[in-house]
Amino acid sequence: MGNKAIVLGVIGADVHAVGNRILDYAFSQAGFEVINIGVLASQEEFIQAAVETGAVAILVSSLYGHGEIDCRGLREKCEEAGIGDIILYAGGNLVVGKQDWEPVKEKFLDMGFSRVYPPGTSPEESIEDLKRDLNIK
Amino acid sequence: MDKAILLIDFGSTFTKVTAVDLKNPKYFVTAKGPTTVQTDINLGLHEALAELERKIGHLPKFEKRLACSSAAGGLNMIAIGLVPELTLEAAKMAALGAGAKLQTLYSYKLTKREVTEIIALKPDIILLAGGTDGGNKDVILHNGVLLAQSTIECPIVVAGNKNAQDELEDIFIKTGKEFHIADNVLPSLNKLNVEPAREKIREVFLKNIIEAKGLKKAEEYIDGIIMPTPQAVLKAGQFLSENKILNGFDKLLIADIGGATTDVHSFCKGDPKGSGVIYRGLPQPHAKRTVEGDLGLRYSLIPLAEALTGANLLDYKKEQIDSLVEDILKDIWDTQSIREEFELALAKGAVNLAVKRHSGYLEIVYTPHGTNYIQYGKDLTDIDLVIGTGGPIVNSNNPKEILKGSLFESNDSLTLKPKNPQFVLDKGYVLSAIGLLGESYPEVARGLAESNFVFL
């Protein structure tokens, strides 16, 4: 019961589409209504989709290493758009090169993301987290 | 011609009549009179019929008399949605496709000041959208409440989040506002659904607006005014495209130049071509209409001249332009122009800008893996036919040159205008008649179409 609409997309000048399709499938199978805005998505497009559909979460994928620049300011824009409390997840290859995961994770959490995932995370893990965050089983 | 069907177009200035022979639909005769909506609409209509009688030799027995109208200001609408690029854009496409003149648009929650503006604008119909189905309810409900509590008197067509319908119905009933419910124009982000709203608008137009505009008197003589004129033109295009009437082609573009506006109608999917192109934005309707209110050859002549000068499409000095414009405006009823070359440039420029604005376009995106393109709107590069209609084209001695304004330009290669179309003229100026006939007399419509259009 309740709204299970979530916005999914790949942010920035990035056309990687396979992971996006896998997540779309996995979250749909898990009972979510996936609003997939596809690749090359801008922050505005994530927000517009969330506002129009009343989504409860925005899932941002970034795979080409420029995630930090592309994701900065997203939480603030959500606040401006009246969805400041929305759940924000980020995952993929969030930074270039080999860096320690913990500082990267901290950086994204500071930027306002609710959860941040390293490369190689299975969809199931984030699905369980989302269900928990939304208090649904 | 013994038995015929009579099609009438109550235009803003002229009432045009077309009689199509029932036995041989390729034979048709047209005539016109003034539109006399202020006094009694039938006066002008009878003048037109008198001219028809003179041309044919007698007045045929009319099995049916169908009319469309853009008289008395046409159909004025205001559209309200949520996100401008999403449900508001969808509502705009629904209203334009219904033949409306959009006075203004509003997004997000309405303010009291905006409601006051709406009241002052006196729209004929308000289209209220917002929220995908199951999505945002707050905004459309907020807007519904404000409208319900205001002194607005016009009917409201509700075409938003279906989960808000019940509450909106209660709100409007409680304050006695006339409302009509239609399916959501954007039920989900990747699904456009404008037809139900278009049809609902047309129903309301028939019931209410016709009466309010003094057009009801015409119904004594005719079988019905069945749609606003621009919708008749859109339906004509749909008819020609779906039935591949013009030499088997189905991807069509209609450029309709008028005194006040230039309308563009496209009939095609317009999907991205090529694998490096990704589509962004709202899905596009197969039949799409846009209206450029600043590109008309008489009432909007000054904004047209400005727009064309700004786009470097008028090869004249400023003083020349000003003097020619002043000349034309001295007598706007003068449809025979002695300033042919200038008028040609104006018409060609109007087509150029109107088609440019209607067309989709590409945006280049440089990614670490190479160049990609994002496409917004429809790709019109493979349009088969560009059909010209409207007084300025129909009466021109070089319509082909005017229509060349619609062509793709290599110095603006990101704008997806038609690359290699053939040009066609609506010689008899009967597109709206075809639109009226298409629904109930498709064979007559086909006959009329087959004999009317001229390949340039």
Side-chain angles (χ1 to χ4, degrees):
Chain A
M1 285 308 312
N3 188 352
K4 288 212 214 148
I6 60 174
V7 176
L8 177 71
V10 181
I11 199 166
D14 187 352
V15 297
H16 290 98
V18 175
N20 171 267
R21 291 276 182 275
I22 293 173
L23 287 174
D24 188 332
Y25 181 77
F27 277 85
S28 299
Q29 290 293 103
F32 289 98
E33 184 195 333
V34 177
I35 294 159
N36 191 341
I37 61 172
V39 299
L40 287 177
S42 65
Q43 290 189 0
E44 285 68 29
E45 282 162 335
F46 280 99
I47 292 174
Q48 284 168 2
V51 168
E52 197 74 64
T53 60
V56 295
I58 294 177
L59 275 50
V60 180
S61 296
S62 172
L63 296 124
Y64 69 154
H66 291 268
E68 189 197 325
I69 299 174
D70 290 332
C71 290
R72 191 165 282 290
L74 183 59
R75 173 62 74 185
E76 286 83 350
K77 285 191 183 154
C78 286
E79 282 162 2
E80 280 297 328
I83 50 171
D85 294 335
I86 199 168
I87 291 170
L88 284 181
Y89 285 5
N93 274 328
L94 292 175
V95 285
V96 182
K98 279 199 172 338
Q99 293 185 25
D100 279 339
W101 174 244
E102 283 308 316
V104 173
K105 181 174 160 185
E106 280 313 306
K107 201 181 303 185
F108 274 79
L109 289 175
D110 278 343
M111 290 200 306
F113 283 85
S114 322
R115 289 189 193 270
V116 190
Y117 297 97
T121 307
S122 71
E124 288 68 39
E125 189 185 326
S126 48
I127 288 172
E128 285 314 305
D129 284 340
L130 187 57
K131 284 184 174 173
R132 201 174 310 122
D133 289 346
L134 292 170
N135 285 319
I136 49 178
K137 186 51 212 109
Chain B
M1 196 187 281
D2 320 302
K3 291 222 321 243
I5 301 194
L6 182 67
L7 293 327
I8 307 165
D9 174 3
F10 291 108
S12 45
T13 327
F14 294 108
T15 293
K16 303 176 267 288
V17 295
T18 306
V20 187
D21 190 323
L22 253 180
K23 249 197 253 143
N24 174 21
K26 292 196 189 220
Y27 174 42
F28 67 95
V29 180
T30 62
K32 71 176 192 253
T35 294
T36 50
V37 67
Q38 313 285 35
T39 47
D40 178 345
I41 189 103
N42 291 310
L43 295 174
L45 175 58
H46 284 292
E47 262 191 61
L49 289 171
E51 192 193 330
L52 196 66
E53 188 172 8
R54 275 193 298 275
K55 280 186 165 180
I56 302 177
H58 61 275
L59 209 55
K61 246 208 276 291
F62 293 122
E63 177 175 297
K64 211 56 173 220
R65 305 172 187 89
L66 301 170
C68 57
S69 169
S70 52
L75 172 59
N76 285 325
M77 283 189 61
I78 289 180
I80 304 168
L82 208 182
V83 176
E85 293 85 351
L86 299 174
T87 48
L88 180 55
E89 183 64 27
K92 188 174 150 192
M93 291 205 262
L96 286 177
K101 183 160 74 179
L102 272 175
Q103 297 168 289
T104 179
L105 307 167
Y106 294 104
S107 55
Y108 300 110
K109 287 186 177 170
L110 287 171
T111 62
K112 292 205 194 111
R113 185 178 298 157
E114 287 173 336
V115 175
T116 311
E117 275 171 20
I118 293 175
I119 296 170
L121 282 170
K122 293 202 177 55
D124 295 316
I125 300 177
I126 293 175
L127 178 60
L128 177 63
T132 48
D133 285 345
N136 184 302
K137 259 173 65 167
D138 288 343
V139 175
I140 195 175
L141 282 176
H142 167 101
N143 292 341
V145 166
L146 280 188
L147 291 176
Q149 293 171 344
S150 74
T151 55
I152 280 166
E153 291 174 342
C154 65
I156 300 167
V157 171
V158 181
N161 184 349
K162 71 167 180 141
N163 296 101
Q165 273 174 15
D166 294 342
E167 283 171 72
L168 284 170
E169 199 163 336
D170 288 341
I171 295 169
F172 288 129
I173 290 177
K174 218 177 275 172
T175 57
K177 291 281 186 261
E178 183 186 338
F179 68 98
H180 305 262
I181 309 267
D183 287 344
N184 197 339
V185 289
L186 196 69
S188 66
L189 286 194
N190 57 3
K191 186 164 179 294
L192 192 72
N193 187 30
V194 293
E195 285 307 321
R198 284 178 181 172
E199 279 312 302
K200 192 57 77 174
I201 291 169
R202 179 177 152 181
E203 263 175 52
V204 177
F205 173 76
L206 295 180
K207 259 178 50 194
N208 300 29
I209 317 300
I210 290 178
E211 172 129 18
K213 301 228 181 197
L215 297 167
K216 195 106 180 125
K217 290 203 205 133
E219 293 201 326
E220 295 157 10
Y221 177 71
I222 62 183
D223 295 303
I225 295 179
I226 58 179
M227 58 185 87
T229 303
Q231 192 179 39
V233 176
L234 188 81
K235 284 198 182 271
Q238 281 175 300
F239 180 79
L240 293 172
S241 169
E242 277 159 34
N243 298 294
K244 301 195 188 199
I245 297 201
L246 297 174
N247 284 4
F249 291 116
D250 64 327
K251 295 196 277 293
L252 312 177
L253 188 79
I254 297 178
D256 181 352
I257 312 182
T261 69
T262 293
D263 290 15
V264 178
H265 301 73
S266 63
F267 305 90
C268 61
K269 282 219 70 200
D271 283 344
K273 298 178 181 42
S275 55
V277 186
I278 291 162
Y279 186 82
R280 265 276 106 85
L282 227 49
Q284 300 287 311
H286 185 269
K288 179 176 179 180
R289 170 182 179 239
T290 54
V291 181
E292 306 308 326
D294 61 334
L295 305 178
L297 262 62
R298 290 291 180 268
Y299 299 100
S300 316
L301 181 54
I302 293 177
L304 171 61
E306 270 174 29
L308 294 183
T309 310
N312 282 327
L313 288 169
L314 279 181
D315 197 12
Y316 294 79
K317 290 214 198 25
K318 184 165 189 328
E319 308 80 53
Q320 276 179 295
I321 295 177
D322 288 342
S323 130
L324 287 161
V325 165
E326 202 185 306
D327 224 22
I328 295 176
L329 289 176
K330 276 202 203 113
D331 182 4
I332 58 172
W333 305 122
D334 174 13
T335 55
Q336 279 167 303
S337 181
I338 52 168
R339 306 153 293 251
E340 270 173 29
E341 202 190 289
F342 184 60
E343 296 257 13
L344 191 84
L346 287 175
K348 184 174 180 181
V351 171
N352 187 331
L353 284 188
V355 173
K356 191 174 292 198
R357 294 177 190 172
H358 183 103
S359 295
Y361 60 95
L362 297 177
E363 216 175 74
I364 304 180
V365 183
Y366 299 103
T367 78
H369 303 276
T371 312
N372 278 89
Y373 296 92
I374 297 182
Q375 174 182 321
Y376 298 91
K378 283 187 175 184
D379 181 339
L380 301 178
T381 52
D382 62 349
I383 283 279
D384 297 315
L385 304 178
V386 172
I387 303 171
T389 187
I393 292 185
V394 171
N395 296 321
S396 166
N397 55 13
N398 196 353
K400 187 173 187 177
E401 191 57 34
I402 295 176
L403 293 179
K404 283 187 178 171
S406 66
L407 290 173
F408 179 88
E409 291 161 72
S410 50
N411 60 357
D412 180 15
S413 56
L414 296 178
T415 303
L416 302 168
K417 290 164 82 181
K419 281 195 168 154
N420 202 17
Q422 289 181 58
F423 297 113
V424 177
L425 180 64
D426 174 12
K427 192 147 175 28
Y429 203 172
V430 295
L431 263 175
S432 61
I434 294 172
L436 287 171
L437 285 168
E439 283 185 339
S440 9
Y441 292 91
E443 284 318 303
V444 180
R446 175 184 285 271
L448 177 58
E450 281 168 358
S451 67
N452 171 64
F453 292 99
V454 174
F455 278 73
L456 300 171

